[in-house]
Each structure stands twice: as C-alpha cells, then as structure tokens.
Amino acid sequence: MLSTVAIQGFEGSFHQIAARHYFGPTALTTPCATFGEVVRQVSSGTAGHGLMAIENSIAGSILPNYNLLRQAGLRVTGEVYLQIRQHLMALPGQQLDDIREVHSHPMALLQCADFLNQHGPWRLVETEDTALSAQRIREGLRTGTAAVAGKLAAELFDLEILAKDIHSEKKNYTRFLVVDRPENAAAVEAPNKASLYFHTTHAQGSLAQVLIRIADQGINLSKLQSFPIPAKTWHYYFHADLEFDDPAQLEAALQAMKPVTEGLEVLGIYHKGTTHK
C-alpha cells in the first residue's frame, strides 16, 4: 500500500507539484488547510510523509513552520526546490478580452501585479489557494473569470492557459522540506546536508564560537535563522542548515559545537535538494 504525503494546500497546488517531483508523478497526496494540519497528519501516522514549504527566495523564511517542526519532533529526510511559475488560466474558449475577474491567493496576485495592472481593468479577487481558484472556475463553469495558478492546476481542471509565466520576478523559488516521524526516518546513504537547532549562553562571542567551529570543518552554513526563547527575554535559539562533502565533517563539527552550546539537536541528515521548474 502506498503511503500518502500530507501537503498544505489543495489539489493542483505548488505543494503537490513539489511532492510529485520528490516522490514521483504517482504520489498520493492528502491536502491540508494549514501547515499545522500537515504536522498533525504526519505525527499521528495518518500520513506516511509530510511536505511543507520552509522558505522562499523572495519572501524569505516561513518562521512558524520552523517552530512547528521543532515542537512536533519530526525529522527532515529530504528537500526540494521549485521554481514558482504563475499562469493565467480560464475555461476553454475564453480569451483575454473576455476576462472580467481574476481569482487567486493574495501572494500570487502580488507576484503577478505588473502583468495584471497592464490588462483589464480586471477585478482582483483574493482566495485561500491558487489551485482552489482554478478548481472553482471549472466546477462553476465560470466564464469571464480567470485564475492565477500553476500548470498542474490547468491540467487537472481542464483549463486553458491564456498567458504563461506572468509573475514579475522570474527567479522565484520555494524550498520545501520532506518530514517524517523519527521511527520512519531511515538513514540516508552518503548525505551532504543537515538541519539542526542549537542555543548558546548569552555571553559575548558565544555565537561566533559556534560559527568558527562549523567553518573550521570546511562546512558551508547555508542557513542561519534565530528564534526567541520563550520566558528568556532577548535570548535566542538558532536553526542552521549545514552543507558538507563528507559525513565525517558533520560529525566533527557536532563534536566541536557541543562544548560551546547549551543545547544541540539534529533535526535531520539528508541529501541536498535539486531545483525543478
């Protein structure tokens, strides 16, 4: 029996596109309304895996998702990078001149503002999801209405793409993490990336000491994100992503970090993700 992948969003969403790239085109996905629900599905064993966006090359880190992962105790087992390509789509036979309204998630509308402002005048309608906007057009046979969504949504709901790649910033990428329950997180052969949490004393130079020990092992610190520690004003813990060539580098770095940290937890050791369009 194939295990399902819990994703945030609806059928045809960018999460589903990313899941298909990572798990294969026949991956079974379970749509979730929130990222919290994704974590609950995986933690409870209802879904075999989870896939959730963690950062975007334009908008930056999705901070609540880092906290979700840490609190749930899930393990990162992989990642995938997806270029976010937004298209304008409508029912077959519709033309640009027929469109009166454009529906999509507010972030997608913002990403495509230059194109949308050059056409119309169109009424822009904010919705909770890009793909759901496309689905509603098909289900309601809504003429005069277009959606901004990804290519998969057009394919699933039999819509025609009236304009391709209408997003203003062409180099827009989202990073997604694959997460599993600890007991299901099998060891990865020849890993080259790790995610971890740590916190230090509040003494001057304590963070620098950690970073020096990482650099001394020839490791690339590709991500460092700080978070406030509850009940400790102006104290922080850190999420770090480390890229390495040999797992021995990571092990040496972890051993070197322990004396200069008050807490150190490895969230996952996995393969660096590839980028898909």
Side-chain angles (χ1 to χ4, degrees), residues 17-270:
I17 296 173
R20 287 188 172 190
H21 281 304
Y22 188 87
F23 293 99
T26 60
L28 301 176
T29 54
T30 300
C32 299
T34 65
F35 289 112
E37 180 60 26
V38 172
V39 169
R40 285 190 291 272
Q41 290 268 346
V42 179
S43 297
S44 67
T46 305
H49 312 278
L51 185 139
M52 56 195 299
I54 199 70
E55 61 179 320
N56 177 266
S57 60
I58 297 174
S61 298
I62 306 176
L63 298 181
N65 287 0
Y66 285 98
N67 284 322
L68 278 173
L69 288 177
R70 185 170 183 269
Q71 293 166 4
L74 298 179
R75 291 293 174 263
V76 179
T77 56
E79 66 177 2
V80 59
Y81 293 82
L82 180 68
Q83 183 178 16
I84 304 302
R85 302 178 61 184
Q86 304 282 15
H87 310 301
L88 188 74
M89 58 194 68
L91 291 172
Q94 296 282 282
Q95 305 295 325
L96 283 176
D97 290 343
D98 300 321
I99 302 303
R100 298 184 299 276
E101 291 185 355
V102 178
H103 295 208
S104 196
H105 187 277
M107 182 58 69
L109 295 176
L110 182 62
Q111 291 171 348
C112 303
D114 291 343
F115 175 88
L116 296 174
N117 290 336
Q118 292 171 6
H119 294 77
W122 291 335
R123 178 172 176 257
L124 305 183
V125 179
E126 296 182 353
T127 67
E128 61 267 49
D129 187 77
T130 55
L132 184 61
S133 301
Q135 181 178 353
R136 286 170 175 166
I137 289 175
R138 165 50 60 188
E139 291 177 345
L141 298 177
R142 303 186 63 167
T143 59
T145 304
V148 174
K151 181 180 179 182
L152 181 59
E155 295 173 352
L156 291 175
F157 305 122
D158 191 26
L159 299 180
E160 287 186 355
I161 294 179
L162 304 182
K164 295 182 178 179
D165 296 326
I166 64 172
H167 41 282
S168 302
E169 176 54 61
K170 303 309 179 185
K171 294 183 178 180
N172 180 15
Y173 297 88
T174 294
R175 177 188 176 211
F176 299 82
L177 295 182
V178 179
V179 295
D180 291 277
R181 297 172 70 181
E183 59 267 33
N184 297 334
V188 174
E189 184 178 351
N192 56 11
K193 191 169 185 178
S195 294
L196 53 90
Y197 290 107
F198 68 88
H199 64 93
T200 67
T201 67
H202 204 43
Q204 182 177 351
S206 58
L207 176 59
Q209 289 296 317
V210 176
L211 301 184
I212 288 171
R213 282 160 172 74
I214 293 173
D216 284 346
Q217 300 303 322
I219 290 176
N220 177 37
L221 180 66
S222 60
K223 181 73 176 182
L224 183 65
Q225 184 70 56
S226 65
F227 301 88
I229 298 177
K232 289 189 176 182
T233 305
W234 309 126
H235 287 236
Y236 300 87
Y237 69 88
F238 299 88
H239 174 103
D241 290 331
L242 311 182
E243 297 178 1
F244 48 89
D245 298 317
D246 188 327
Q249 292 173 281
L250 174 64
E251 183 58 33
L254 293 174
Q255 292 302 319
M257 292 168 65
K258 286 181 179 179
V260 292
T261 57
E262 291 189 329
L264 178 62
E265 176 188 0
V266 177
L267 189 62
I269 303 174
Y270 50 97

